[in-house]
């Protein structure tokens, strides 16, 4: 019976964490630094296409659609935008490539007009999506 009592005490002590050598006390838990958690007031990234819509509007007004890098920047931002804006960016990129390849040829005017039309269509897509073009 004593043996059963000792065994019962040993099991109880093991389950309750009592008995045996106490574990060395480690450092007390600390709260995470205030800067570790994302702030509720941190600015959210702009939705895809916002920069593209502003850029296409600026390029149309300033007549810089044929300048190096302008359409590339617009198209790059549409890659993370809605499918409609991505499609408009793809069309604008194709129109730009055609116009650039037609420089100095009799077809240049027609391709430049097509580029301007693509830019206008993209601006309309931006307006429909409530994204500013200015």
């Amino acid at each position: 019976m004593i043996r059963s009592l000792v065994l019962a005490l040993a099991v109880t002590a093991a389950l309750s964490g009592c008995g045996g050598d106490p574990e060395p006390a480690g450092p007390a838990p600390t709260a995470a630094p205030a800067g570790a958690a994302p702030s509720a007031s941190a600015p959210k990234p702009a939705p895809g296409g916002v920069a593209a819509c502003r850029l296409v509007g600026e390029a149309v007004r300033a007549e810089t659609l044929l300048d190096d890098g302008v359409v590339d920047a617009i198209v790059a931002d549409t890659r993370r935008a809605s499918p409609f804006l991505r499609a408009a960016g793809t069309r604008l990129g194709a129109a730009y490539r055609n116009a650039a390849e037609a420089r100095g040829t009799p077809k240049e005017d027609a391709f430049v007009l097509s580029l301007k039309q693509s830019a206008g269509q993209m601006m309309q897509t931006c307006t429909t999506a409530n994204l500013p073009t200015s």
Side-chain angles (χ1 to χ4, degrees):
M1 178 150 147
I2 293 179
R3 189 173 206 179
S4 299
L5 184 59
V6 171
L7 183 59
L9 287 174
V11 169
T12 303
L15 291 176
S16 67
C18 297
D21 294 332
E23 291 186 28
T30 59
S39 171
S41 64
K44 295 179 182 175
V50 170
C53 288
R54 286 195 176 124
L55 289 171
V56 74
E58 291 171 8
V60 167
R61 284 185 293 282
E63 298 181 5
T64 58
L65 284 168
L66 282 169
D67 289 359
D68 289 337
V70 172
V71 171
D72 291 336
I74 295 167
V75 172
D77 190 64
T78 63
R79 289 190 182 116
R80 57 185 193 94
S82 71
F84 297 111
L85 203 51
R86 272 195 313 269
T90 299
R91 287 190 300 273
L92 181 67
Y96 169 75
R97 284 188 301 279
N98 290 336
E101 290 172 6
R103 284 184 185 157
T105 70
K107 295 183 178 184
E108 179 178 10
D109 290 341
F111 282 115
V112 169
L113 178 60
S114 176
L115 173 62
K116 289 179 181 181
Q117 288 173 337
S118 292
Q121 290 169 353
M122 184 170 176
M123 288 179 68
Q124 185 62 35
T125 303
C126 292
T127 301
T128 302
N130 293 321
L131 297 175
T133 57
S134 58

